[in-house]
Amino acid sequence: MLTYNLMHTGSDPLYEYLCKSIKNDIIHGTLKPGDKLPSKRVFAENLGVSVITVENAYAQLIAQGYIYSIPKRGYYIADFGSIMTEKKQSFVKEMAPLTGGDTSYFADFSSNQTSSDLFPFTIWSKVVREILSDSRVQLMKNSPCGGISALRSSIAMFLKDFRGMTVQPEQIIIGAGTEYLYGLLIQLLGREQTYAVENPGYSRLEKIYRSFRVPCAWIPLDEGGVCVSNLEDAGVDIVHVTPSHQYPTGIVMPISRRYELLGWAAREEGRYIIEDDYDSELRLSGQPIPTLQSIDLSEKVIYLNTFTKTLCSTVRISYMILPPGLLSRFYENLSFYSCTVSNFEQYTLARFIEEGKFEIHVNRLRRHYRRKRDVLLEALQKSRLGDMVSISGEKAGLHFLMTVHTDLPESAVMERAKSRGIKLAALSGYYHGERPPENVYVMHYSSIDVDRANEIMKRLYKSCT
Amino acid sequence: MLTYNLMHTGSDPLYEYLCKSIKNDIIHGTLKPGDKLPSKRVFAENLGVSVITVENAYAQLIAQGYIYSIPKRGYYIADFGSIMTEKKQSFVKEMAPLTGGDTSYFADFSSNQTSSDLFPFTIWSKVVREILSDSRVQLMKNSPCGGISALRSSIAMFLKDFRGMTVQPEQIIIGAGTEYLYGLLIQLLGREQTYAVENPGYSRLEKIYRSFRVPCAWIPLDEGGVCVSNLEDAGVDIVHVTPSHQYPTGIVMPISRRYELLGWAAREEGRYIIEDDYDSELRLSGQPIPTLQSIDLSEKVIYLNTFTKTLCSTVRISYMILPPGLLSRFYENLSFYSCTVSNFEQYTLARFIEEGKFEIHVNRLRRHYRRKRDVLLEALQKSRLGDMVSISGEKAGLHFLMTVHTDLPESAVMERAKSRGIKLAALSGYYHGERPPENVYVMHYSSIDVDRANEIMKRLYKSCT
């Protein structure tokens, strides 16, 4: 029978001392998991203390998780402690990478990481400080599910000035990244619909649909973007398009195709167009074409845009604009969700836009990227590479297409470039099922150091010949 | 036939002038949506200019969205402009509320809004400033899908110190709120499983499952929380529990029930327990019981927690801890998702925890809420209400249960309280299907002004008699 000497308990009350003694035996393994403890009555008798003392000690041990009780059976030593620590440290670390991006290349054309130099740190920090000092009460007030009013109004204002769009702030739903908003849209539109994405296209999008287990078709493009007849053939209900600047081909969807697409959506109930305007602010040359959203009279367009391209990829703020019919459905079914962007960032961004700082920043970005693109393309044209490539889709966004006319197979070009420190992204990697073109590369140049432009072209030339 | 005088074009090139003239007619309604424009050749002949001039003008009008072309048919005036503006302003505003919470009550016991006075603004602002000035490069680097390393490590450290849990940082997945993490979990665990939530319980949770169209059962509780036999009867695969402090009843799940539950999960493949430890840091009295996560040897527990209770509800940072088997599945299937919390907030919170500021803050919160609870309960006991109510679940979190012994029906009590400026939340509102107890109220006191305690009790007494 378990016994303890309760003559020298020091300043501890009896029950406390008893509790510590048992705990000590558990920790040192004298009492093992599953061992049964004496009943309160028997133990009290044996120790020469009151039943209450044992009861108190047991209660404390239960509360601390060292023992547990099974009604009508008794008290047992719990099964945890040092073994847990060992077990949990036996992890395979490599399956859980903790870093993002790869900076080991001389030039990485596969990354769209934005440069930290371009983020307006000084102004942003100033706005953050202001918000933290003058908006404390608002910062603590729960945001409506669609986002704080100030941010939605400032986005509506910006869209009017910059994009000629007329949008009510209530139509704008703020979320932590476009991927999150897709999840909301699937919940809103239903899992029974057939979704479609562009082929070639942004493969992460198809992964999202797959992850939500909704049917998703790849729709081949012609020179104007997604073809309506292909949508009809595939029985599509909801199509995702990037009309301002198709990713990755750079196709700008002509206005006639836009009307055709709207016509397709209007023909059947339940059809919708998701217009992803992901980098429209970074149009570098040419006139803008109105968004589908602004010429949509049938309430069939869901417009999506993000600040991850114009601010930085690590600020997770995107938004969607719902047409009235879907908006009421959203408020009915999904308004129980909290907004996923913290108030701190919502208020900061709202003021940043309101005070015109965002527009200044976007204009600065465009100048920067235009120069970057020009330097790269000039270096390319002047280099020996110039004669063997053709360029397209260079008017907008942060990438262009480079078609290399060479007899080398694509895999060889990529391998050779890689061995020279140049990481390329082949357009073929964006195709699904369809036979992709060979030796066309999607050149993301946002993270390229253009001081290296001439050397990059030399290395690329060597890789292609 | 449409014609323009091209003799006085000013400094504009001919095509530019022609373009402006047509645009002017569209804006003033001389040319109407759907009107057909002359063919390029005919128009050129008529105006006495080259076909190229008309072609350039048309191309620019197309790019600007004023006209569109239909292949082999011709050019048409586009259907947008002023009508869009009118249409979009005809919105029903009331369906889209832009404000959160209700401050019009004398005391609102239904709200768990945290007070802005409690947020550690000074220290938080200091950390924000530091991060903005010394971590610029890291701030711009894409976060791994599970969150930045520093935050995950600091959470692991905090859980070890504060909760006695041994967790590898790689097991921790950061997300913008618990609701978002639920969405990820459903994608991870699959839609074919039967999920279960506690009854009474947090109804938002069931809404999430419903919104994702996954089967979800309500499981009745006994005095120890969720009953294993009920789980077996309902054929449950994945159960959501709040063992540290059941919401809303306040039940602390005894260790014996915890072992039973772990045994249930271990018996069949595909069974999991989601342990939502949402306010465990705010335990006000009593000893903590070890989490299910720390006594789980079968890798069956997914632990969830949030900073929305301990920092403020408008900072959207939560995390989950995945057992090794699920972790590898997560990295395989869902690591394409970007982390939904911005780097700014991740780095700020990481430093806030690392430097011990979070622990100091939590201790301060506990003192504050303990005092608040004590003042309220003392005022209640001293008031005439004291004799007609009983209190339970007051040891943890920011709410307790108040059972009112009265002959008045619940709806009358609530109505009478409301007319006196007191908003009550009935426990019955958290029940689903089951026959709920009458006149039990879930008293969320975090936003109550305790200087009003005596007056609140007076008004409550009047409402109950």
Side-chain angles (χ1 to χ4, degrees), chain A residues 186-205:
Chain A
I186 295 169
Q187 293 173 68
L188 182 66
L189 299 171
R191 294 185 50 263
E192 300 70 31
Q193 324 294 321
T194 297
Y195 292 75
V197 293
E198 297 166 318
N199 189 12
Y202 192 49
S203 70
R204 196 181 283 203
L205 204 60

Side-chain angles (χ1 to χ4, degrees), chain A residues 259-314:
Chain A
Y259 278 107
E260 268 184 77
L261 204 57
L262 287 169
W264 164 83
R267 268 198 293 285
E268 301 245 5
E269 219 186 315
R271 283 186 180 170
Y272 288 100
I273 301 164
I274 302 175
E275 175 176 34
D276 190 345
D277 210 24
Y278 69 104
D279 70 355
S280 61
E281 299 84 1
L282 300 176
R283 195 174 30 76
L284 304 182
S285 41
Q287 286 286 337
I289 297 189
T291 58
L292 285 167
Q293 200 277 343
S294 28
I295 55 173
D296 166 33
L297 284 170
S298 314
E299 306 191 352
K300 287 296 196 175
V301 176
I302 298 157
Y303 176 94
L304 262 105
N305 208 336
T306 177
F307 291 96
T308 55
K309 303 280 168 189
T310 42
L311 277 174
C312 65
S313 48
T314 63

Side-chain angles (χ1 to χ4, degrees), chain A residues 60 62-65 67-70 78-80 83-85 87-89 91 93 95-100 103 113-116 119 121-122 124-125 128-129 132 136-137 139-144 147 149 152 160 166-171 176 179-180 186-188 190-192 204 207-208 211-213 255-256 259 287-290 293-297 299 312-316 324 327-328 331 334 336-345, chain B residues 60 62-65 67-70 78-80 83-85 87-89 91 93 95-100 103 113-116 119 121-122 124-125 128-129 132 136-137 139-144 147 149 152 160 166 168-171 176 179-180 186-188 190-192 204 207-208 211-213 255-256 259 287-290 293-297 299 312-316 324 327-328 331 334 336-345:
Chain A
Q60 196 166 329
I62 287 178
Q64 293 175 16
I67 68 172
Y68 60 99
S69 80
I70 299 180
D79 189 9
F80 82 103
I83 39 164
M84 300 307 299
T85 320
K87 174 193 78 115
K88 299 222 167 140
Q89 274 162 358
F91 254 106
K93 281 232 177 185
M95 77 178 170
L98 279 178
T99 54
T103 52
Q113 177 98 46
T114 43
S115 157
S116 64
F119 186 79
F121 266 112
T122 314
W124 188 264
S125 307
V128 167
R129 279 199 303 273
L132 276 168
R136 296 193 168 189
V137 175
L139 282 173
M140 294 295 116
K141 263 200 155 169
N142 285 341
S143 160
S149 168
R152 295 154 92 182
K160 187 158 188 64
T166 305
V167 171
Q168 296 295 310
E170 291 82 357
Q171 285 179 275
E179 298 167 357
Y180 171 71
I186 295 169
Q187 293 173 68
L188 182 66
R191 294 185 50 263
E192 300 70 31
R204 196 181 283 203
K207 278 188 192 154
I208 296 175
S211 178
F212 274 84
R213 278 89 163 172
I255 188 87
S256 53
Y259 278 107
Q287 286 286 337
I289 297 189
Q293 200 277 343
S294 28
I295 55 173
D296 166 33
L297 284 170
E299 306 191 352
C312 65
S313 48
T314 63
V315 168
R316 308 302 303 169
L327 190 63
S328 51
Y331 279 103
L334 297 176
F336 67 87
Y337 278 118
S338 301
C339 182
T340 43
V341 181
S342 88
N343 274 10
F344 289 92
E345 305 227 309
Chain B
Q60 197 167 331
I62 287 178
Q64 293 174 17
I67 69 171
Y68 60 98
S69 81
I70 299 181
D79 188 10
F80 82 103
I83 39 163
M84 301 307 298
T85 320
K87 173 192 78 116
K88 299 221 167 142
Q89 272 160 0
F91 254 106
K93 282 234 177 186
M95 78 179 171
L98 280 178
T99 54
T103 51
Q113 177 98 47
T114 43
S115 157
S116 64
F119 185 80
F121 266 112
T122 313
W124 187 264
S125 306
V128 167
R129 279 199 303 274
L132 277 168
R136 298 193 167 189
V137 175
L139 282 173
M140 293 296 116
K141 263 200 156 168
N142 286 340
S143 160
S149 169
R152 294 153 92 182
K160 186 159 188 66
T166 304
Q168 297 295 310
E170 291 82 356
Q171 284 179 275
E179 298 166 359
Y180 171 72
I186 295 168
Q187 292 173 68
L188 183 66
R191 294 186 49 262
E192 300 71 31
R204 194 181 286 204
K207 279 189 191 150
I208 296 176
S211 179
F212 276 83
R213 278 90 162 171
I255 189 89
S256 52
Y259 279 106
Q287 285 289 336
I289 296 190
Q293 200 277 342
S294 29
I295 54 173
D296 165 34
L297 284 169
E299 307 190 352
C312 65
S313 49
T314 63
V315 167
R316 307 303 303 169
L327 190 62
S328 50
Y331 278 104
L334 298 176
F336 68 87
Y337 277 118
S338 300
C339 182
T340 42
V341 181
S342 88
N343 275 10
F344 289 93
E345 305 227 309

Side-chain angles (χ1 to χ4, degrees), chain A residues 391-442:
Chain A
I391 299 298
S392 63
E394 77 278 19
K395 287 195 178 161
L398 305 182
H399 65 272
F400 53 81
L401 288 192
M402 178 177 81
T403 306
V404 181
H405 309 292
T406 175
D407 294 333
L408 286 173
E410 185 173 288
S411 56
V413 170
M414 289 185 74
E415 203 42 64
R416 291 158 64 114
K418 195 176 170 189
S419 72
R420 291 175 174 88
I422 314 273
K423 193 168 178 193
L424 291 176
L427 180 61
S428 60
Y430 295 84
Y431 274 85
H432 303 270
E434 297 264 304
R435 200 185 143 81
E438 265 264 303
N439 273 315
V440 183
Y441 299 94
V442 187

Side-chain angles (χ1 to χ4, degrees), chain A residues 117-190:
Chain A
D117 317 339
L118 285 172
F119 186 79
F121 266 112
T122 314
I123 299 165
W124 188 264
S125 307
K126 190 172 160 281
V127 177
V128 167
R129 279 199 303 273
E130 284 171 20
I131 293 288
L132 276 168
S133 84
D134 67 24
S135 308
R136 296 193 168 189
V137 175
Q138 290 108 293
L139 282 173
M140 294 295 116
K141 263 200 155 169
N142 285 341
S143 160
C145 62
I148 63 158
S149 168
L151 180 56
R152 295 154 92 182
S153 300
S154 67
I155 290 174
M157 189 189 75
F158 176 78
L159 288 173
K160 187 158 188 64
D161 292 352
F162 206 81
R163 210 80 178 86
M165 290 166 68
T166 305
V167 171
Q168 296 295 310
E170 291 82 357
Q171 285 179 275
I172 300 177
I173 308 293
I174 309 287
T178 317
E179 298 167 357
Y180 171 71
L181 293 173
Y182 275 105
L184 277 187
L185 276 180
I186 295 169
Q187 293 173 68
L188 182 66
L189 299 171

Side-chain angles (χ1 to χ4, degrees), chain B residues 102-385:
Chain B
D102 189 347
T103 51
S104 60
Y105 286 94
F106 184 73
D108 181 356
F109 284 100
S110 74
S111 152
N112 56 5
Q113 177 98 47
T114 43
S115 157
S116 64
D117 318 339
L118 285 172
F119 185 80
F121 266 112
T122 313
I123 299 164
W124 187 264
S125 306
K126 189 172 161 282
V127 177
V128 167
R129 279 199 303 274
E130 282 172 19
I131 292 289
L132 277 168
S133 85
D134 69 23
S135 308
R136 298 193 167 189
V137 175
Q138 290 108 293
L139 282 173
M140 293 296 116
K141 263 200 156 168
N142 286 340
S143 160
C145 60
I148 63 159
S149 169
L151 180 56
R152 294 153 92 182
S153 301
S154 67
I155 290 173
M157 189 188 76
F158 177 78
L159 287 174
K160 186 159 188 66
D161 292 353
F162 207 81
R163 210 80 177 86
M165 289 165 68
T166 304
V167 171
Q168 297 295 310
E170 291 82 356
Q171 284 179 275
I172 300 176
I173 308 294
I174 310 287
T178 317
E179 298 166 359
Y180 171 72
L181 292 174
Y182 275 106
L184 277 187
L185 276 180
I186 295 168
Q187 292 173 68
L188 183 66
L189 299 172
R191 294 186 49 262
E192 300 71 31
Q193 323 294 322
T194 297
Y195 292 76
V197 293
E198 297 165 317
N199 189 12
Y202 192 50
S203 71
R204 194 181 286 204
L205 205 60
E206 193 261 354
K207 279 189 191 150
I208 296 176
Y209 289 119
R210 189 147 29 97
S211 179
F212 276 83
R213 278 90 162 171
V214 296
C216 179
W218 289 100
I219 301 295
L221 309 181
D222 64 12
E223 69 292 345
V226 147
C227 253
V228 165
S229 61
N230 290 336
L231 291 177
E232 297 276 7
D233 292 349
V236 170
D237 300 297
I238 291 139
V239 65
H240 175 274
V241 288
T242 47
S244 311
H245 186 232
Q246 205 274 332
Y247 188 81
T249 63
I251 293 172
V252 179
M253 187 183 280
I255 189 89
S256 52
R257 178 63 58 85
R258 294 179 192 224
Y259 279 106
E260 267 184 80
L261 204 56
L262 287 170
W264 165 83
R267 268 198 293 285
E268 300 246 5
E269 220 185 314
R271 283 186 179 170
Y272 288 100
I273 301 164
I274 301 175
E275 175 176 34
D276 190 345
D277 209 24
Y278 68 104
D279 71 353
S280 61
E281 299 83 1
L282 299 176
R283 194 173 31 76
L284 303 181
S285 42
Q287 285 289 336
I289 296 190
T291 59
L292 285 167
Q293 200 277 342
S294 29
I295 54 173
D296 165 34
L297 284 169
S298 314
E299 307 190 352
K300 287 295 197 176
V301 176
I302 298 157
Y303 175 93
L304 262 106
N305 207 336
T306 178
F307 291 96
T308 55
K309 301 282 168 189
T310 42
L311 277 175
C312 65
S313 49
T314 63
V315 167
R316 307 303 303 169
I317 311 184
S318 299
Y319 59 94
M320 59 181 175
I321 300 171
L322 294 176
L326 284 181
L327 190 62
S328 50
R329 214 203 285 179
F330 176 84
Y331 278 104
E332 224 165 89
N333 298 328
L334 298 176
S335 60
F336 68 87
Y337 277 118
S338 300
C339 182
T340 42
V341 181
S342 88
N343 275 10
F344 289 93
E345 305 227 309
Q346 289 197 64
Y347 278 101
T348 303
L349 179 57
R351 189 167 300 180
F352 192 75
I353 300 174
E354 272 162 23
E355 295 183 347
K357 294 177 167 105
F358 180 65
E359 196 166 340
I360 293 169
H361 171 64
V362 165
N363 289 332
R364 184 171 152 253
L365 274 190
R366 285 162 75 167
R367 280 196 303 277
H368 171 87
Y369 286 121
R370 196 182 295 127
R371 189 188 145 270
K372 203 159 194 170
R373 178 197 64 176
D374 292 348
V375 171
L376 271 178
L377 290 180
E378 205 187 307
L380 190 148
Q381 296 307 345
K382 281 199 303 199
S383 76
R384 295 169 72 184
L385 190 65

